Amino acid sequence: MSKTIFITGASSGLGKATALLFAKHNWNVIATMIKPENETALAEVANITLLPLDVTNVAQIEGTVNKALGLGKIDVVFNNAGYGLAGPFEGATDDQLTNQLNTNLLGVMLVTQQFLPHFRENKAGTFITTTSIGGLITLPFNSVYHATK
Ligand SMILES: NC(=O)c1ccc[n+]([C@@H]2O[C@H](COP(=O)([O-])OP(=O)(O)OC[C@H]3O[C@@H](n4cnc5c(N)ncnc54)[C@H](OP(=O)(O)O)[C@@H]3O)[C@@H](O)[C@H]2O)c1
């Protein structure tokens, strides 16, 4: 029986490439993204299901995870959605900082939380989470670096 991977932020980059790679290897892929209605390449692949998911939308996380679980067992969750916020740290606005934490940190936690009961029940399941070697330190570090140049 084919295994299933659930991917966040599959509209581009690593998320999209992962969706296509797993589909090619006969996995069932649930590719989630903010606007699945705009996706064309993944929509053409038979074993890829598109679902809407903005990981900052708490209600949508619950709804989309429930829909995904309604399709069958999930074996792997790839927490990929996220983005870098570059620039001098002192220039970052409250909204920019809040949105990045809601996306890169809280989004990962909330998606993971929704899947944990399913994995515990199955006594199996894998989370893969993209992070960064720069992490949050990148912002203050860069600002100090530029300020001392
Ligand atoms: N590429 C790198 O060098 C690098 C380095 C360190 C970490 N990372 C991390 O690796 C992951 C993938 O990066 P990438 O290089 O493939 O970048 P990418 O092409 O920009 O892909 C990021 C994906 O995350 C999605 N996303 C952003 N905010 C979201 C939200 N609130 N809800 C759902 N999806 C959201 C984007 O969707 P939209 O396009 O619809 O906004 C996009 O599909 C990200 O988490 C990134 O921070 C990348």
Side-chain angles (χ1 to χ4, degrees):
M1 201 178 94
S2 296
K3 293 194 170 192
T4 301
I5 183 169
F6 178 101
I7 304 172
T8 65
S11 66
S12 65
L14 296 172
K16 188 171 203 164
T18 303
L20 291 169
L21 181 72
F22 275 70
K24 195 173 148 197
H25 288 276
N26 295 319
W27 281 59
N28 295 315
V29 176
I30 301 175
T32 71
M33 59 196 72
I34 297 173
K35 292 191 172 163
E37 63 275 19
N38 293 344
E39 177 56 41
T40 51
L42 300 185
E44 289 168 3
V45 183
N47 49 332
I48 297 182
T49 302
L50 300 182
L51 289 179
L53 182 57
D54 178 336
V55 298
T56 65
N57 181 334
V58 180
Q60 195 176 45
I61 291 174
E62 193 179 343
T64 291
V65 172
N66 281 336
K67 260 186 217 156
L69 292 176
L71 300 173
K73 181 175 171 246
I74 309 276
D75 300 282
V76 177
V77 170
F78 181 22
N79 283 309
N80 164 75
Y83 64 95
L85 181 59
F89 188 53
E90 65 269 35
T93 65
D94 287 359
D95 277 355
Q96 283 177 317
L97 295 175
T98 302
N99 191 53
Q100 192 175 43
L101 288 172
N102 284 343
T103 307
N104 291 15
L105 180 63
L106 199 58
V108 172
M109 288 174 158
L110 294 175
V111 169
T112 300
Q113 206 174 35
Q114 285 293 318
F115 277 105
L116 275 172
H118 180 67
F119 282 3
R120 287 197 201 284
E121 196 183 321
N122 294 333
K123 296 189 170 28
T126 300
F127 290 105
I128 302 169
T129 300
T130 308
T131 178
S132 167
I133 53 169
L136 288 172
I137 294 299
T138 304
L139 278 171
F141 175 78
N142 277 348
S143 65
V144 171
Y145 176 76
H146 290 302
T148 54
K149 287 276 284 184

